[in-house]
Amino acid sequence: MANYGLQGKVAVITGSGRKKGIGFAIASKLAAEGCCIVLSDLGVPKGNEFSSEHIGITDEMNQLTEELIKSGARVIAQPADVRLESDCEALIKAAVDTFGRIDILVNNAGVGYLMEEFTEFKESSWDAVLDVNLKGAFLCSKHAARYMIAQNSGCIINIASQAAKSGFPYAAAYTASKHGLVGLTRSNAVELGPKGIRVNAICPNHITTGLGHWQNEFFSKKFGLDYQTYLQGIKDRNPLRRTGMVEDIANAVAFLCSDEASYINGEALNVSGGEEYH
Ligand SMILES: NC(=O)c1ccc[n+]([C@@H]2O[C@H](COP(=O)([O-])OP(=O)(O)OC[C@H]3O[C@@H](n4cnc5c(N)ncnc54)[C@H](O)[C@@H]3O)[C@@H](O)[C@H]2O)c1
Protein backbone atom coordinates (compact mmCIF):
# COMPACT_ATOMS: atom_id res chain seq x y z
CA MET A 1 0.00 0.00 0.00
CA ALA A 2 1.41 3.38 -1.03
CA ASN A 3 1.37 6.06 1.63
CA TYR A 4 -0.02 9.18 0.02
CA GLY A 5 -0.22 11.14 3.27
CA LEU A 6 -4.00 11.28 3.18
CA GLN A 7 -4.63 10.13 6.77
CA GLY A 8 -7.52 12.02 8.36
CA LYS A 9 -8.53 13.78 5.14
CA VAL A 10 -12.27 13.94 4.53
CA ALA A 11 -13.46 12.71 1.14
CA VAL A 12 -16.89 12.85 -0.51
CA ILE A 13 -17.42 10.57 -3.52
CA THR A 14 -20.62 10.89 -5.53
CA GLY A 15 -22.14 7.85 -7.26
CA SER A 16 -20.16 5.52 -5.01
CA GLY A 17 -22.93 3.14 -3.89
CA ARG A 18 -22.46 0.31 -6.41
CA LYS A 19 -20.14 -2.53 -5.44
CA LYS A 20 -18.55 -2.94 -8.89
CA GLY A 21 -18.38 0.77 -9.67
CA ILE A 22 -15.43 3.14 -9.97
CA GLY A 23 -16.86 5.29 -7.16
CA PHE A 24 -16.73 2.51 -4.57
CA ALA A 25 -13.22 1.55 -5.68
CA ILE A 26 -12.16 5.17 -5.10
CA ALA A 27 -13.86 5.18 -1.69
CA SER A 28 -12.15 1.89 -0.75
CA LYS A 29 -8.73 3.17 -1.81
CA LEU A 30 -9.11 6.48 0.05
CA ALA A 31 -10.42 4.61 3.12
CA ALA A 32 -7.38 2.33 3.03
CA GLU A 33 -5.21 5.47 2.89
CA GLY A 34 -6.84 6.65 6.12
CA CYS A 35 -9.45 9.09 4.80
CA CYS A 36 -12.86 9.64 6.39
CA ILE A 37 -15.37 8.75 3.71
CA VAL A 38 -18.80 10.03 2.68
CA LEU A 39 -20.36 7.47 0.33
CA SER A 40 -23.19 8.85 -1.75
CA ASP A 41 -25.56 7.71 -4.46
CA LEU A 42 -29.00 8.39 -5.87
CA GLY A 43 -30.51 5.77 -3.54
CA VAL A 44 -33.92 5.32 -5.18
CA PRO A 45 -34.96 4.75 -8.81
CA LYS A 46 -36.48 7.85 -10.46
CA GLY A 47 -38.54 7.69 -13.66
CA ASN A 48 -37.49 6.04 -16.94
CA GLU A 49 -33.98 7.49 -16.96
CA PHE A 50 -32.94 6.25 -13.50
CA SER A 51 -34.19 2.65 -13.17
CA SER A 52 -32.94 0.23 -10.52
CA GLU A 53 -30.86 -1.60 -13.17
CA HIS A 54 -28.60 1.42 -13.52
CA ILE A 55 -28.38 3.23 -10.21
CA GLY A 56 -26.98 2.61 -6.77
CA ILE A 57 -29.81 1.99 -4.30
CA THR A 58 -29.69 2.86 -0.61
CA ASP A 59 -29.56 -0.78 0.61
CA GLU A 60 -26.44 -1.51 -1.42
CA MET A 61 -24.83 1.75 -0.33
CA ASN A 62 -25.54 0.93 3.33
CA GLN A 63 -24.00 -2.54 2.89
CA LEU A 64 -20.89 -1.01 1.34
CA THR A 65 -20.71 1.49 4.20
CA GLU A 66 -20.75 -1.38 6.70
CA GLU A 67 -18.04 -3.15 4.70
CA LEU A 68 -15.73 -0.13 4.91
CA ILE A 69 -16.50 0.45 8.60
CA LYS A 70 -15.57 -3.19 9.32
CA SER A 71 -12.24 -2.57 7.60
CA GLY A 72 -11.57 0.15 10.19
CA ALA A 73 -12.56 3.28 8.24
CA ARG A 74 -14.72 6.16 9.40
CA VAL A 75 -17.61 6.25 6.91
CA ILE A 76 -21.09 7.69 6.54
CA ALA A 77 -23.62 7.25 3.75
CA GLN A 78 -25.57 10.24 2.45
CA PRO A 79 -27.95 9.73 -0.49
CA ALA A 80 -27.99 12.62 -2.96
CA ASP A 81 -29.44 13.27 -6.39
CA VAL A 82 -26.66 15.38 -7.88
CA ARG A 83 -29.15 17.06 -10.23
CA LEU A 84 -30.61 18.89 -7.22
CA GLU A 85 -28.75 21.77 -5.62
CA SER A 86 -30.41 21.17 -2.24
CA ASP A 87 -29.14 17.55 -2.20
CA CYS A 88 -25.62 18.61 -3.19
CA GLU A 89 -25.53 21.28 -0.50
CA ALA A 90 -26.79 18.76 2.09
CA LEU A 91 -24.21 16.20 0.97
CA ILE A 92 -21.28 18.54 1.49
CA LYS A 93 -22.76 19.80 4.78
CA ALA A 94 -23.08 16.19 6.02
CA ALA A 95 -19.34 15.72 5.49
CA VAL A 96 -18.51 18.92 7.38
CA ASP A 97 -21.04 18.30 10.17
CA THR A 98 -19.75 14.75 10.72
CA PHE A 99 -16.02 15.06 10.16
CA GLY A 100 -15.41 18.81 10.62
CA ARG A 101 -14.16 19.65 7.11
CA ILE A 102 -14.01 18.53 3.49
CA ASP A 103 -10.66 17.97 1.81
CA ILE A 104 -11.51 15.89 -1.25
CA LEU A 105 -14.51 15.88 -3.57
CA VAL A 106 -14.70 13.25 -6.30
CA ASN A 107 -17.43 13.99 -8.83
CA ASN A 108 -17.92 10.42 -10.04
CA ALA A 109 -21.72 10.13 -10.51
CA GLY A 110 -22.42 9.61 -14.17
CA VAL A 111 -25.00 8.38 -16.64
CA GLY A 112 -23.49 6.47 -19.55
CA TYR A 113 -26.41 4.28 -20.55
CA LEU A 114 -28.70 6.72 -22.37
CA MET A 115 -27.37 6.23 -25.89
CA GLU A 116 -29.46 6.67 -29.02
CA GLU A 117 -29.15 7.42 -32.75
CA PHE A 118 -28.46 11.15 -32.91
CA THR A 119 -31.52 11.92 -35.07
CA GLU A 120 -33.73 10.07 -32.56
CA PHE A 121 -32.02 11.35 -29.42
CA LYS A 122 -34.68 12.25 -26.87
CA GLU A 123 -34.54 15.63 -25.19
CA SER A 124 -35.27 13.91 -21.87
CA SER A 125 -32.19 11.66 -22.34
CA TRP A 126 -30.03 14.65 -23.21
CA ASP A 127 -31.21 16.50 -20.11
CA ALA A 128 -30.69 13.50 -17.80
CA VAL A 129 -27.11 12.95 -18.99
CA LEU A 130 -26.11 16.63 -18.90
CA ASP A 131 -27.82 17.16 -15.53
CA VAL A 132 -25.92 14.34 -13.82
CA ASN A 133 -22.56 14.38 -15.58
CA LEU A 134 -22.05 18.13 -15.84
CA LYS A 135 -24.52 20.06 -13.70
CA GLY A 136 -24.07 17.60 -10.83
CA ALA A 137 -20.32 18.21 -10.80
CA PHE A 138 -20.90 21.96 -10.94
CA LEU A 139 -23.31 21.90 -7.98
CA CYS A 140 -21.22 19.64 -5.74
CA SER A 141 -18.03 21.56 -6.57
CA LYS A 142 -19.70 24.91 -5.86
CA HIS A 143 -20.77 23.87 -2.37
CA ALA A 144 -17.54 22.03 -1.57
CA ALA A 145 -15.45 24.99 -2.76
CA ARG A 146 -17.15 27.32 -0.26
CA TYR A 147 -15.75 25.25 2.62
CA MET A 148 -12.44 24.58 0.87
CA ILE A 149 -11.89 28.31 0.30
CA ALA A 150 -12.46 28.93 4.03
CA GLN A 151 -9.87 26.20 4.77
CA ASN A 152 -7.54 27.52 2.02
CA SER A 153 -7.07 23.92 0.88
CA GLY A 154 -8.89 21.24 -1.04
CA CYS A 155 -8.81 18.93 -3.98
CA ILE A 156 -11.55 18.27 -6.53
CA ILE A 157 -11.38 15.37 -8.99
CA ASN A 158 -13.85 15.08 -11.84
CA ILE A 159 -14.25 11.60 -13.34
CA ALA A 160 -14.54 12.43 -17.02
CA SER A 161 -13.90 9.83 -19.75
CA GLN A 162 -12.10 9.00 -22.96
CA ALA A 163 -15.29 10.58 -24.32
CA ALA A 164 -13.93 13.90 -23.02
CA LYS A 165 -11.17 13.67 -25.63
CA SER A 166 -12.68 11.71 -28.54
CA GLY A 167 -16.12 11.37 -30.10
CA PHE A 168 -18.27 8.24 -29.70
CA PRO A 169 -21.29 7.31 -31.84
CA TYR A 170 -24.79 7.23 -30.28
CA ALA A 171 -23.33 9.12 -27.33
CA ALA A 172 -23.86 12.77 -28.23
CA ALA A 173 -25.00 13.74 -24.73
CA TYR A 174 -22.37 11.66 -22.94
CA THR A 175 -19.54 12.94 -25.14
CA ALA A 176 -20.70 16.56 -24.84
CA SER A 177 -21.11 16.26 -21.07
CA LYS A 178 -17.63 14.81 -20.56
CA HIS A 179 -15.99 17.41 -22.83
CA GLY A 180 -17.89 19.99 -20.77
CA LEU A 181 -16.63 18.46 -17.55
CA VAL A 182 -13.06 19.08 -18.68
CA GLY A 183 -14.05 22.69 -19.39
CA LEU A 184 -15.46 22.99 -15.87
CA THR A 185 -12.23 21.47 -14.52
CA ARG A 186 -10.07 24.05 -16.30
CA SER A 187 -12.22 27.02 -15.29
CA ASN A 188 -12.30 25.88 -11.65
CA ALA A 189 -8.55 25.19 -11.67
CA VAL A 190 -7.62 28.74 -12.64
CA GLU A 191 -10.25 30.39 -10.42
CA LEU A 192 -9.81 28.23 -7.32
CA GLY A 193 -6.07 27.56 -7.57
CA PRO A 194 -5.14 30.88 -5.92
CA LYS A 195 -7.46 29.89 -3.05
CA GLY A 196 -5.54 26.68 -2.33
CA ILE A 197 -7.79 24.29 -4.27
CA ARG A 198 -6.51 22.04 -7.05
CA VAL A 199 -9.01 20.75 -9.62
CA ASN A 200 -8.21 17.92 -12.04
CA ALA A 201 -10.08 15.43 -14.19
CA ILE A 202 -9.39 11.76 -14.89
CA CYS A 203 -10.28 10.26 -18.25
CA PRO A 204 -10.71 6.47 -18.09
CA ASN A 205 -11.27 4.33 -21.15
CA HIS A 206 -13.34 1.16 -20.98
CA ILE A 207 -13.85 -0.57 -17.61
CA THR A 208 -16.42 -3.36 -17.27
CA THR A 209 -18.42 -1.98 -14.37
CA GLY A 210 -22.23 -2.26 -14.38
CA LEU A 211 -22.24 0.74 -16.71
CA GLY A 212 -19.37 -0.68 -18.76
CA HIS A 213 -21.21 -4.00 -19.14
CA TRP A 214 -24.28 -2.17 -20.43
CA GLN A 215 -22.10 -0.32 -22.96
CA ASN A 216 -20.50 -3.62 -24.11
CA GLU A 217 -23.96 -5.07 -24.75
CA PHE A 218 -25.12 -1.90 -26.52
CA PHE A 219 -22.11 -1.47 -28.81
CA SER A 220 -21.66 -5.17 -29.61
CA LYS A 221 -25.29 -5.26 -30.83
CA LYS A 222 -24.84 -2.02 -32.80
CA PHE A 223 -21.69 -3.35 -34.47
CA GLY A 224 -23.16 -6.84 -35.08
CA LEU A 225 -20.56 -8.61 -32.90
CA ASP A 226 -21.01 -11.07 -30.08
CA TYR A 227 -20.17 -9.67 -26.65
CA GLN A 228 -16.84 -11.45 -26.18
CA THR A 229 -15.61 -10.60 -29.69
CA TYR A 230 -16.44 -6.95 -29.11
CA LEU A 231 -14.66 -6.94 -25.73
CA GLN A 232 -11.62 -8.75 -27.16
CA GLY A 233 -11.45 -6.07 -29.89
CA ILE A 234 -11.17 -3.37 -27.22
CA LYS A 235 -8.30 -5.28 -25.57
CA ASP A 236 -6.51 -5.91 -28.87
CA ARG A 237 -6.60 -2.19 -29.77
CA ASN A 238 -5.09 -1.19 -26.43
CA PRO A 239 -1.28 -0.91 -26.25
CA LEU A 240 -1.36 -2.78 -22.91
CA ARG A 241 -3.77 -5.42 -24.32
CA ARG A 242 -6.32 -5.13 -21.54
CA THR A 243 -9.25 -3.01 -20.46
CA GLY A 244 -9.12 -0.70 -17.46
CA MET A 245 -9.77 -1.77 -13.89
CA VAL A 246 -11.55 0.28 -11.25
CA GLU A 247 -8.33 0.16 -9.18
CA ASP A 248 -6.45 1.97 -11.99
CA ILE A 249 -8.75 4.97 -11.48
CA ALA A 250 -8.72 4.76 -7.68
CA ASN A 251 -4.90 4.79 -7.68
CA ALA A 252 -4.84 7.87 -9.92
CA VAL A 253 -7.30 9.64 -7.61
CA ALA A 254 -5.17 8.93 -4.53
CA PHE A 255 -2.06 10.24 -6.29
CA LEU A 256 -3.79 13.41 -7.55
CA CYS A 257 -5.11 14.12 -4.04
CA SER A 258 -1.69 13.74 -2.45
CA ASP A 259 1.05 16.31 -1.93
CA GLU A 260 3.07 14.37 -4.52
CA ALA A 261 0.71 16.02 -7.03
CA SER A 262 0.81 19.48 -5.44
CA TYR A 263 1.83 21.18 -8.74
CA ILE A 264 -0.72 19.35 -10.89
CA ASN A 265 -3.79 21.51 -11.52
CA GLY A 266 -6.27 21.81 -14.39
CA GLU A 267 -5.21 18.53 -16.00
CA ALA A 268 -7.40 15.93 -17.69
CA LEU A 269 -5.31 12.82 -17.05
CA ASN A 270 -5.80 9.86 -19.39
CA VAL A 271 -5.83 6.53 -17.55
CA SER A 272 -6.24 4.36 -20.59
CA GLY A 273 -3.20 2.14 -21.09
CA GLY A 274 -2.01 4.48 -23.82
CA GLU A 275 -5.15 4.22 -25.93
CA GLU A 276 -5.88 7.91 -25.52
CA TYR A 277 -2.98 10.33 -25.46
CA HIS A 278 -4.14 13.85 -26.17
N1 LIG B 1 -16.99 2.18 -16.88
C1 LIG B 1 -16.38 2.84 -17.84
O1 LIG B 1 -15.97 2.26 -18.84
C2 LIG B 1 -16.15 4.33 -17.72
C3 LIG B 1 -15.26 4.93 -18.62
C4 LIG B 1 -15.05 6.31 -18.55
C5 LIG B 1 -15.69 7.06 -17.57
N2 LIG B 1 -16.55 6.45 -16.70
C6 LIG B 1 -17.21 7.31 -15.72
O2 LIG B 1 -16.95 6.80 -14.42
C7 LIG B 1 -18.01 7.20 -13.54
C8 LIG B 1 -18.49 5.98 -12.78
O3 LIG B 1 -19.05 5.04 -13.70
P1 LIG B 1 -19.06 3.46 -13.47
O4 LIG B 1 -18.57 2.85 -14.70
O5 LIG B 1 -18.44 3.13 -12.17
O6 LIG B 1 -20.63 3.14 -13.44
P2 LIG B 1 -21.67 3.05 -12.23
O7 LIG B 1 -23.00 2.92 -12.86
O8 LIG B 1 -21.25 2.00 -11.28
O9 LIG B 1 -21.52 4.47 -11.51
C9 LIG B 1 -22.27 5.61 -11.82
C10 LIG B 1 -22.96 6.02 -10.55
O10 LIG B 1 -23.63 7.28 -10.78
C11 LIG B 1 -24.81 7.22 -10.01
N3 LIG B 1 -25.81 8.19 -10.45
C12 LIG B 1 -26.54 8.20 -11.59
N4 LIG B 1 -27.42 9.22 -11.57
C13 LIG B 1 -27.23 9.87 -10.39
C14 LIG B 1 -27.84 11.01 -9.78
N5 LIG B 1 -28.84 11.68 -10.37
N6 LIG B 1 -27.39 11.40 -8.57
C15 LIG B 1 -26.39 10.72 -7.94
N7 LIG B 1 -25.78 9.63 -8.46
C16 LIG B 1 -26.21 9.21 -9.67
C17 LIG B 1 -25.31 5.79 -10.21
O11 LIG B 1 -26.27 5.43 -9.25
C18 LIG B 1 -24.01 5.01 -10.10
O12 LIG B 1 -23.73 4.62 -8.78
C19 LIG B 1 -19.08 7.83 -14.42
O13 LIG B 1 -18.97 9.24 -14.35
C20 LIG B 1 -18.72 7.35 -15.82
O14 LIG B 1 -19.16 8.22 -16.82
C21 LIG B 1 -16.78 5.10 -16.75
Side-chain angles (χ1 to χ4, degrees):
M1 175 70 59
N3 182 352
Y4 286 109
L6 299 176
Q7 287 85 356
K9 302 269 187 197
V10 178
V12 175
I13 305 109
T14 65
S16 53
R18 296 183 94 186
K19 172 107 181 146
K20 286 165 71 179
I22 293 170
F24 184 62
I26 294 168
S28 302
K29 173 69 179 173
L30 294 181
E33 294 289 332
C35 292
C36 305
I37 302 293
V38 181
L39 282 186
S40 185
D41 216 313
L42 186 56
V44 288
K46 287 190 177 176
N48 290 339
E49 281 83 17
F50 300 91
S51 65
S52 56
E53 180 198 350
H54 292 296
I55 62 126
I57 57 168
T58 303
D59 279 356
E60 187 172 5
M61 183 170 60
N62 289 340
Q63 280 167 21
L64 297 176
T65 303
E66 287 305 313
E67 201 177 293
L68 289 184
I69 289 172
K70 275 190 195 139
S71 76
R74 295 179 68 199
V75 188
I76 61 163
Q78 172 81 20
D81 183 339
V82 298
R83 297 172 299 165
L84 305 176
E85 180 154 23
S86 55
D87 278 21
C88 297
E89 185 172 12
L91 171 62
I92 304 302
K93 187 171 181 300
V96 176
D97 286 350
T98 307
F99 298 119
R101 52 189 291 119
I102 173 169
D103 300 292
I104 297 166
L105 168 68
V106 184
N107 288 307
N108 169 76
V111 170
Y113 49 82
L114 293 171
M115 296 194 178
E116 297 157 21
E117 296 268 352
F118 183 61
T119 50
E120 304 302 320
F121 215 102
K122 288 191 280 301
E123 185 181 4
S124 57
S125 299
W126 177 275
D127 288 345
V129 173
L130 269 289
D131 280 357
V132 175
N133 297 9
L134 188 51
K135 191 172 95 172
F138 149 63
L139 291 173
C140 289
S141 299
K142 170 181 162 180
H143 288 281
R146 289 180 175 174
Y147 291 101
M148 290 173 173
I149 289 168
Q151 296 166 185
N152 195 32
S153 74
C155 182
I156 297 174
I157 309 281
N158 294 319
I159 304 301
S161 170
Q162 185 173 21
K165 305 282 184 79
S166 294
F168 285 84
Y170 315 112
Y174 188 75
T175 306
S177 71
K178 295 297 187 178
H179 275 70
L181 190 53
V182 171
L184 178 71
T185 303
R186 290 174 178 155
S187 175
N188 284 173
V190 294
E191 184 171 339
L192 301 178
K195 301 172 197 291
I197 303 166
R198 290 185 299 109
V199 186
N200 290 291
I202 292 175
C203 300
N205 63 341
H206 176 74
I207 302 173
T208 304
T209 57
L211 169 61
H213 171 66
W214 183 92
Q215 290 179 350
N216 290 343
E217 286 191 322
F218 177 85
F219 282 113
S220 55
K221 273 190 203 129
K222 282 282 180 199
F223 299 147
L225 299 169
D226 69 70
Y227 187 102
Q228 285 308 330
T229 307
Y230 170 75
L231 191 57
Q232 190 58 46
I234 297 181
K235 294 176 185 172
D236 291 344
R237 281 194 301 279
N238 191 293
L240 298 186
R241 302 288 185 267
R242 69 168 174 89
T243 54
M245 298 185 297
V246 292
E247 292 80 8
D248 295 321
I249 310 309
N251 290 339
V253 169
F255 166 67
L256 284 175
C257 292
S258 75
D259 284 347
E260 304 282 303
S262 63
Y263 201 51
I264 301 179
N265 188 33
E267 286 294 336
L269 176 70
N270 298 313
V271 180
S272 74
E275 188 178 309
E276 190 70 53
Y277 47 80
H278 69 282

